[in-house]
Each structure stands twice: as C-alpha cells, then as structure tokens.
C-alpha cells in the first residue's frame, strides 16, 4: 500500500523520503490548499529525492474556475514539469456549475501525455460524482484524490466505498483529508481494496512530529 505525502518544501520532502513515503505531492502555500511551487523549487526537489514526485498545478488559491489566461499559465507549468522529468502532475478545473471543465482538462492532458495524472480535491466540489468519476476514467486519469465529499476522509468513508465500487480497477481512488496514524487503521479496515492514501502528516507542525507521523503511518500500512 502506498503513502503519498504532501510536502510544501524540499526539506520536508527529504524527511518524507527518509521516513518511508512512497511518493511526494509537491506544493507551496499548504495552509491555503496548496499552489504550484516555483520552477526553481521544482528543479531542486527533482535533484534532492529519488522517490516519485507529483507537482500540484494550481496557479492560485480559491475556487477552481479558471480564466483562459490562468489555464494557459498552468499549461506552461505542466510543460515545465514534463521537460524536467517530474513523474506526475496533480490537476483539476471546474465550471461554475460544479462540473468538470473538460476544455481546460483536455488541454492540460495533451501537454502532460506520458505523465502520471491525479485529479485533485476539486473533485469533492462536484455534485454528481458518479458521472464525474466515469468522465475521468474516460480521460485516462490515473487517480482521484478525494475525502469523499466530507471534511475528512474518515467522515467520507461511505462515499469513498461507493466511489471505489464504481472505480473498480479502472482508476485509483486515493483517500485524503486529515489522514493521520491515529485514524489510518480505521480507514484501511473500512476500505480494504484502496491501495493508496494521501496525507500532509501534520507538516505544519515541527519536523520531528512530521517524521514520526510518516513513520507511524507506514507502519500501519505495512502491517
């Protein structure tokens, strides 16, 4: 079972790798939901760690309705990630009616061809998740990061179960949302066919707590 750790800095990514994380989601401004790191930081993190890196492509905090200018800027960010051999990108865009913005997504996917693609937690703002899930399957996304339309993954267990039933082996449902070692066993038990989990591992606290939390979560997943 894989553990993806959301890291807002190169130093936190190094700690995450040392403590057993399987993959890094790299972003900055985590307190605002995360935005895309600078190009300089993307280059540096690629040199600093060996485990797979997925970069969040989100030009600003706030809603997921983007202007044409913003869509083009994020396309440029994806292209930069691809040129610098980043393993994957984490994307998402919605229309004002809370449906997937297929025009923006298809533009980005064309550029990201060959990368590992995750649809981020904008998914939790979509009302008809079954339709959206099948749409993302048809668009060849690798996974969806979701809390099951609730504040936390633990609260969204029932929705996550339903999403997993629809997804089967066509797309990965990756629970995320306040996942910690204290609740991961409950999530793992309730979602036995889920293979990946996402956590920030209390990264906004200190490095020692961050390291200890990742180690504890990996222990839960390995046992």
């Amino acid at each position: 079972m894989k553990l993806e750790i959301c890291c807002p800095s190169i130093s936190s990514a190094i700690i995450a790798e040392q403590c057993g994380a399987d993959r890094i989601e790299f972003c900055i401004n985590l307190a605002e939901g995360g935005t895309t790191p600078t190009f300089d930081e993307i280059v540096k993190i690629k040199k600093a760690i060996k485990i797979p890196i997925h970069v969040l492509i989100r030009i600003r905090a706030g809603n997921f309705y983007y202007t044409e200018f913003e869509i083009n800027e994020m396309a440029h960010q994806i292209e930069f990630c691809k040129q610098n051999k980043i393993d994957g990108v984490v994307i998402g865009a919605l229309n004002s009616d809370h449906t997937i913005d297929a025009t923006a997504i298809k533009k980005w996917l064309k550029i990201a061809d060959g990368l590992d693609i995750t649809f981020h937690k904008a998914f939790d703002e979509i009302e008809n998740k079954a339709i959206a899930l099948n749409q993302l399957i048809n668009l060849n996304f690798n996974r969806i990061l979701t809390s099951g339309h609730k504040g936390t993954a633990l609260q969204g267990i029932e929705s996550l179960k339903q999403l997993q039933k629809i997804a089967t082996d066509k797309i990965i449902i990756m629970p995320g949302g306040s996942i910690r070692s204290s609740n991961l066993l409950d999530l793992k038990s309730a979602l036995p066919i889920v293979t990946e989990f996402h956590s920030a591992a209390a990264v906004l606290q200190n490095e020692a707590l961050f390291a200890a939390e990742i180690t504890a979560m990996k222990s839960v997943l390995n046992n």
Side-chain angles (χ1 to χ4, degrees), residues 25 33 41 53 62 69 78 145 159 162 176 205:
E25 183 197 35
E41 289 171 314
I53 301 162
F69 173 79
I78 294 168
L145 172 61
S159 178
Q162 294 303 313
Q205 300 181 38

Side-chain angles (χ1 to χ4, degrees), residues 81-223:
C81 288
K82 186 173 181 179
Q83 289 173 349
N84 285 273
K85 302 187 185 307
I86 295 299
D87 302 279
V89 290
V90 183
I91 61 176
L94 303 178
N95 298 307
S96 59
D97 62 352
H98 296 273
T99 58
I100 292 172
D101 182 346
T103 301
I105 294 297
K106 288 177 180 178
K107 180 183 183 73
W108 295 338
L109 290 176
K110 185 175 181 180
I111 297 167
D113 183 47
L115 300 182
D116 196 314
I117 310 294
T118 302
F119 195 94
H120 59 51
K121 288 189 71 179
F123 185 80
D124 288 328
E125 297 189 9
I126 298 171
E127 293 182 11
N128 194 322
K129 290 180 173 45
I131 289 176
L133 192 154
N134 281 302
Q135 189 175 359
L136 294 176
I137 289 172
N138 291 333
L139 287 167
N140 294 316
F141 272 77
N142 295 97
R143 73 185 52 74
I144 300 169
L145 172 61
T146 174
S147 63
H149 197 50
K150 299 291 183 180
T152 70
L154 196 63
Q155 293 169 338
I157 279 179
E158 293 306 315
S159 178
L160 289 166
K161 287 180 182 177
Q162 294 303 313
L163 290 170
Q164 185 63 73
K165 285 181 181 179
I166 299 169
T168 60
D169 60 350
K170 298 174 184 176
I171 193 169
I172 296 167
I173 300 298
M174 181 170 64
S178 300
I179 293 179
R180 301 288 184 269
S181 57
S182 58
N183 57 32
L184 186 52
L185 182 58
D186 289 338
L187 284 160
K188 179 183 172 184
S189 300
L191 302 165
I193 57 176
V194 165
T195 59
E196 300 185 5
F197 291 90
H198 170 98
S199 175
V203 71
L204 297 180
Q205 300 181 38
N206 62 55
E207 289 187 352
L209 287 173
F210 181 57
E213 186 62 25
I214 296 169
T215 301
M217 284 191 290
K218 279 300 295 183
S219 178
V220 171
L221 294 180
N222 289 338
N223 294 309

Side-chain angles (χ1 to χ4, degrees), residues 7-43:
C7 295
S9 66
I10 295 167
S11 60
S12 62
I14 292 171
I15 292 170
E17 180 179 49
Q18 292 171 342
C19 293
D22 299 289
R23 185 173 63 237
I24 300 301
E25 183 197 35
F26 188 36
C27 66
I28 57 173
N29 298 322
L30 191 56
E32 297 180 357
T35 55
T36 307
T38 66
F39 287 173
D40 183 54
E41 289 171 314
I42 292 170
V43 170

